[in-house]
Amino acid sequence: MTKAVELALFLHLLGVAVWVGGMVFAHFCLRPALADLSPQLRLPLWESVFGRFFNWVAASVIIILLTGGFMLTQFGGAHASWQLHAMAGLGIVMMLIFGHIRFAVFPRIRRAVQAQNWPDGARAVGTVRRLVVVNLVLGVVTIGVSVLSGGV
Ligand code: HEM
């Protein structure tokens, strides 16, 4: 493995750790801890948490895409193993889902909090929760496919 590929893999895995680890923290630790708060407290808090976390995810997505694309060219491009193609495909689906969360659902949370429309805000936070579960499952499957199925 060349130094450039080693560095790319290091950055790739840092991006994966931030994204997948952040989803685990938000879903399994923060969400249950905030569940009993009133919507007036909970929804502005989620808006503030998401506003920060989504910037970290956006940076991770860019890094994962650039380093993954670079490594793919070094591992045979179109002739790379099926595991790498599966990773790229699943990764792109995860990125599209994140884009929907960030650019379609998150603005609804912002608008609802500004208008103090708590039912709308709670619905939008519920949508983020469901989509984060989907991305978390896809993320774990992606890591599993690339690490457990041999042949990468
Ligand atoms: C456009 C998206 C992606 C592309 C093109 C891509 C491509 C690659 C490539 C070429 C490698 C190097 C494989 C090797 O060292 O032999 C790699 C490693 C890895 N990637 Fe991705 N990847 C993408 C997204 C993701 C995502 C979303 C995850 C996890 C959520 C992920 C997890 C991993 C892991 C765990 C490794 C280390 C596997 C190993 O080296 O055995 N990747 N990726």
Side-chain angles (χ1 to χ4, degrees):
M1 208 184 276
T2 66
K3 280 280 167 235
V5 172
E6 273 177 17
L7 180 64
L9 187 58
F10 169 67
L11 294 173
H12 194 74
L13 293 180
L14 272 188
V16 169
V18 166
W19 190 3
V20 178
M23 290 194 291
V24 168
F25 171 75
H27 188 71
F28 291 109
C29 306
L30 193 55
R31 186 185 56 87
L34 301 188
D36 290 338
L37 293 183
S38 68
Q40 288 87 336
L41 289 174
R42 191 164 45 87
L43 297 172
L45 198 55
W46 273 124
E47 185 206 0
S48 167
V49 168
F50 285 151
R52 289 173 171 79
F53 179 53
F54 292 162
N55 288 342
W56 282 89
V57 177
S60 300
V61 162
I62 292 168
I63 288 170
I64 291 170
L65 205 53
L66 289 178
T67 53
F70 166 70
M71 287 189 291
L72 208 51
T73 65
Q74 306 297 303
F75 285 98
H79 303 291
S81 65
W82 70 264
Q83 287 92 341
L84 289 186
H85 287 289
M87 185 194 304
L90 289 165
I92 284 166
V93 172
M94 287 176 67
M95 290 167 195
L96 291 174
I97 291 174
F98 168 69
H100 180 74
I101 294 174
R102 172 62 187 83
F103 296 108
V105 188
F106 182 52
R108 272 170 44 205
I109 299 177
R110 282 224 150 120
R111 280 196 298 274
V113 167
Q114 265 156 22
Q116 305 199 348
N117 183 341
W118 308 123
D120 269 8
R123 260 191 301 278
V125 168
T127 303
V128 172
R129 177 179 62 78
R130 278 188 296 278
L131 291 174
V132 164
V133 169
V134 173
N135 256 359
L136 196 46
V137 171
L138 289 178
V140 171
V141 169
T142 308
I143 295 172
V145 166
S146 47
V147 176
L148 297 178
S149 64
V152 175

